[in-house]
Amino acid sequence: MGCISSKNVSCLTDQGDSPLPEPGLLSTSQQHRVLIDHSLEASHNSKRSRKSRRLGGSDLRIGVSLGSSHRNIEAEQAAAGWPAWLCSAAAEAVHGWVPLKAEAFQKLEKIGQGTYSSVFRAREVETGKMVALKKVKFDNLQPESIRFMAREILILRKLNHPNIMKLEGIVTSRASSSIYLVFEYMEHDLAGLSSNPDIRFTEPQIKCYMKQLLWGLEHCHMRGVIHRDIKASNILVNNKGVLKLGDFGLANVVTPSNKNQLTSRVVTLWYRAPELLMGSTSYGVSVDLWSVGCVFAEILMGKPILKGRTEIEQLHKIYKLCGSPQDSFWKRTKLPHATSFKPQHTYEATLRERCKDLSATGVYLLETLLSMEPDKRGTASSALNSEYFLTRPYACDPSSLPKYPPNKEMDAKYRDDMRRKRANLKLRDSGVGRKHKRPHRAEYDPKNYAKLPIRKDTLEVKNIPNEASRATTTTHGNYYKVSDLPMTTGPASGFAWAVKRRKDPDNISTLTYYQPSSKSQLSGTSVAFAKNTFGLNLKPDNDSVWEVQGNNYDDVIEEVPSHESKLSRIGERHGSLDGSGLDFSQREEDSPKKTLEHLQFGKQSISGPLIFKSGKIDEILQRNESNIRQAVRKSHLQREQDDR
Ligand SMILES: Nc1ncnc2c1ncn2[C@@H]1O[C@H](COP(=O)(O)OP(=O)(O)OP(=O)(O)O)[C@@H](O)[C@H]1O
């Protein structure tokens, strides 16, 4: 199976010079040849590609860079069956391929729900082979979101390794506004397996998974690809014990010569490296190594090790686990938010205590991967050469791994939900919600935002579905139900800003809104706090609420948020370290229309730093809580319908 090259097809299928080949089966090597032959070579040589490299900072740019006869290529692609919207926005991604037909697959059950996609198990009719179909739907066919997905495709086409999820083809039809990416079917993901109480991995098994993960990552890094969303649910495992790294939706390509800035709004919160939390825009592949460390700890312990709900809580947990950085770090660091995150006192590392069962070589590797300083994390190759893998017990063979019943993050969530439902029936009624739900990269539903009656004069947003918006939302894995939220800063907080905030009586039990047009009105706390307390920029008819710099795709592939754009996110904020800080965020998924209406507090729109007294807030929050629940229910129902 697979998309076949429109150029190679004649010799493959013996159809002479037929310009319209039928999709068919290709051997792996043929498919590989197709991938190498086309697309990327073209993109590297094109003028447009050089321009976008200059503009945006990656040597892999999405854009039409197919040489002089762009129109011809579009026509050729249209003739091959690609929809016009796809050819015009992302010709490069599908260049040399022909689409697979929907009828070639029998769609079975839904097996995964991502932020931008639903994943289904399906059977290839002709061969009976199981595949995973990742349905990517484009609201309004916005070119930015199409090109965004195109980058994922291009990166997948660039990679070819047994431990990297292989893109086998693309299903689409001229009439449809969505496409299906076809992947080999994987029975499990590491989130589902490691959280299953019935499964406890042995050391050889853990070594086996870790080695495969590091091999896959080494392949990416050697090709300049930073994954930027490594987490247990993006690591898939099949019944032969083969592990594959998936979901390259946030990946980007960096080269040594490429000095452009990257966005720090990447990687799901629990797996996010400290330098990203501190706002680094010049990071490298070591952010992936940090995430690998988190995954390593997760499969050792059977649960995620750093489950922060806010950026600041995440860093606090990191300090408590790995120790806070030395004074010398704070003196020399130039990370934009470092001072906001400097703890008042130092923390000793507790990693060794928490990993008592792990061998010394394992602890050493884990400590290396979870080094606060990126350049101490080593590389995927050095990790593979570490003593951990070279000492007994050695990694087992993948084929000797037990066969588990299908187990995915989704199954784990279902298990959790059922357990929670049973145990928390009463709590739910009194408004207490989930606190540590596994974070997704993003959790918002643009469709619902689009209809909001937001006043243009008070709220603004720039163009959206691009990497920055997608990345920005990564932090929305963390959310509280609003009525849970403690409204004062607790005494245990050790961070400078939190202490400062306590000294300011107006900042206790208040909500401070940011008004884009009046920076001077930010409340007395640090900007770092304010930016995440409640920044909201909205546009009346846009698909999203995230503001990013630039609205040209090439410009925004890597967002470097301005001061203001950083202030413009809803739902992400610095909470207090002890969880007692002011918090008014909610899941994006949980906060569609109704929620936002209520963020305006009825008819009162947000037009400045509004201060609410705490008593009122409780009342408002309770009202919001019930409205949020209603809205969530509606949006889930809607999503279910859409998926059908
Ligand atoms: N090839 C596959 N085989 C089986 N299941 C898969 C496959 N690819 C993805 N899934 C399942 O679907 C889920 C979502 O897929 P994916 O992560 O690619 O989507 P996404 O929209 O990028 O998600 P997220 O927002 O969580 O990053 C995965 O966690 C996994 O459980």
Side-chain angles (χ1 to χ4, degrees), residues 111-121 131-135 152 165-166 182-189 191 229 231-237 246-250 268 407-410 413 439-442 470:
I111 50 172
Q113 177 65 60
T115 313
Y116 293 88
S117 60
S118 306
V119 182
F120 299 87
R121 194 164 69 98
V131 295
L133 297 179
K134 180 167 168 174
K135 181 181 182 185
E152 182 175 354
M165 185 59 66
K166 186 171 188 60
V182 185
F183 294 100
E184 55 203 297
Y185 173 68
M186 306 291 282
E187 283 81 2
H188 319 285
D189 63 44
D229 199 18
K231 57 179 172 181
S233 60
N234 283 339
I235 300 167
L236 298 149
V237 178
D247 193 0
F248 283 76
L250 284 181
T268 301
N407 220 315
K408 293 263 170 51
E409 183 195 27
M410 204 162 139
K413 266 186 200 151
H440 262 280
R441 182 163 61 218
R470 200 173 180 191

Side-chain angles (χ1 to χ4, degrees), residues 132-405:
L133 297 179
K134 180 167 168 174
K135 181 181 182 185
V136 190
K137 208 170 161 190
F138 303 102
D139 289 318
N140 307 324
L141 295 177
Q142 287 191 350
E144 279 84 6
S145 54
I146 298 164
R147 290 193 197 114
F148 192 93
M149 175 275 312
R151 188 174 63 174
E152 182 175 354
I153 295 175
L154 275 177
I155 288 182
L156 284 165
R157 290 177 68 166
K158 187 183 169 82
L159 301 169
N160 183 32
H161 188 273
N163 300 117
I164 304 282
M165 185 59 66
K166 186 171 188 60
L167 176 63
E168 300 199 332
I170 301 171
V171 177
T172 189
S173 67
R174 282 196 192 86
S176 167
S177 64
S178 57
I179 64 169
Y180 289 90
L181 304 183
V182 185
F183 294 100
E184 55 203 297
Y185 173 68
M186 306 291 282
E187 283 81 2
H188 319 285
D189 63 44
L190 271 189
L193 286 180
S194 63
S195 65
N196 188 332
D198 302 329
I199 298 173
R200 192 165 164 81
F201 299 129
T202 63
E203 197 168 357
Q205 289 170 347
I206 292 173
K207 286 186 181 180
C208 175
Y209 287 133
M210 285 303 293
K211 271 180 105 164
Q212 296 186 67
L213 173 58
L214 286 163
W215 279 327
L217 195 62
E218 184 184 47
H219 178 82
C220 296
H221 290 177
M222 281 165 74
R223 276 145 197 84
V225 174
I226 317 185
H227 185 283
R228 303 198 301 182
D229 199 18
I230 290 180
K231 57 179 172 181
S233 60
N234 283 339
I235 300 167
L236 298 149
V237 178
N238 67 18
N239 261 342
K240 293 181 186 133
V242 178
L243 173 151
K244 291 178 195 264
L245 184 53
D247 193 0
F248 283 76
L250 284 181
N252 204 350
V253 177
V254 287
T255 60
S257 59
N258 168 359
K259 295 273 184 284
N260 287 297
Q261 292 186 309
L262 301 162
T263 175
S264 60
R265 304 291 171 198
V266 284
V267 190
T268 301
L269 188 63
W270 296 351
Y271 303 84
R272 196 179 303 168
E275 66 271 25
L276 293 175
L277 291 162
M278 293 186 200
S280 175
T281 53
S282 57
Y283 52 88
V285 295
S286 42
V287 298
D288 285 344
L289 290 155
W290 175 275
S291 311
V292 168
C294 298
V295 171
F296 185 18
E298 184 168 336
I299 54 180
L300 283 165
M301 296 181 188
K303 58 182 183 200
I305 193 171
L306 291 164
K307 293 167 50 166
R309 292 167 295 186
T310 64
E311 288 185 334
I312 200 159
E313 192 185 32
Q314 188 65 25
L315 260 174
H316 184 225
K317 285 183 184 295
I318 291 172
Y319 294 161
K320 286 207 295 193
L321 182 73
C322 308
S324 51
Q326 308 285 315
D327 277 353
S328 56
F329 168 87
W330 300 110
K331 278 186 193 133
R332 88 186 116 81
T333 184
K334 292 197 171 58
L335 292 172
H337 307 150
T339 46
S340 313
F341 288 121
K342 186 174 179 208
Q344 290 279 289
H345 51 85
T346 52
Y347 291 82
E348 294 301 324
T350 55
L351 187 63
R352 279 164 194 253
E353 271 165 54
R354 289 185 66 180
C355 299
K356 279 197 193 105
D357 295 341
L358 182 61
S359 62
T361 55
V363 171
Y364 182 76
L365 175 61
L366 188 55
E367 279 178 339
T368 307
L369 294 167
L370 295 180
S371 296
M372 291 295 290
E373 308 213 25
D375 44 1
K376 294 196 177 138
R377 285 175 213 149
T379 61
S381 314
S382 65
L384 281 164
N385 288 322
S386 74
E387 283 297 305
Y388 178 62
F389 296 113
L390 303 175
T391 48
R392 285 173 194 278
Y394 300 123
C396 67
D397 191 86
S399 60
S400 73
L401 285 163
K403 310 237 174 308
Y404 307 106

Side-chain angles (χ1 to χ4, degrees), residues 431-482:
V432 178
R434 290 164 289 188
K435 286 198 173 173
H436 286 287
K437 186 176 178 289
R438 187 178 284 276
H440 262 280
R441 182 163 61 218
E443 297 267 349
Y444 77 97
D445 181 355
K447 265 186 294 179
N448 290 305
Y449 286 118
K451 299 169 204 127
L452 292 177
I454 304 295
R455 264 178 51 187
K456 206 171 189 170
D457 52 345
T458 53
L459 305 163
E460 64 168 35
V461 82
K462 289 181 189 168
N463 211 354
I464 286 311
N466 52 39
E467 172 176 25
S469 62
R470 200 173 180 191
T472 300
T473 55
T474 57
T475 48
H476 293 279
N478 48 84
Y479 29 74
Y480 304 98
K481 290 214 171 174
V482 283

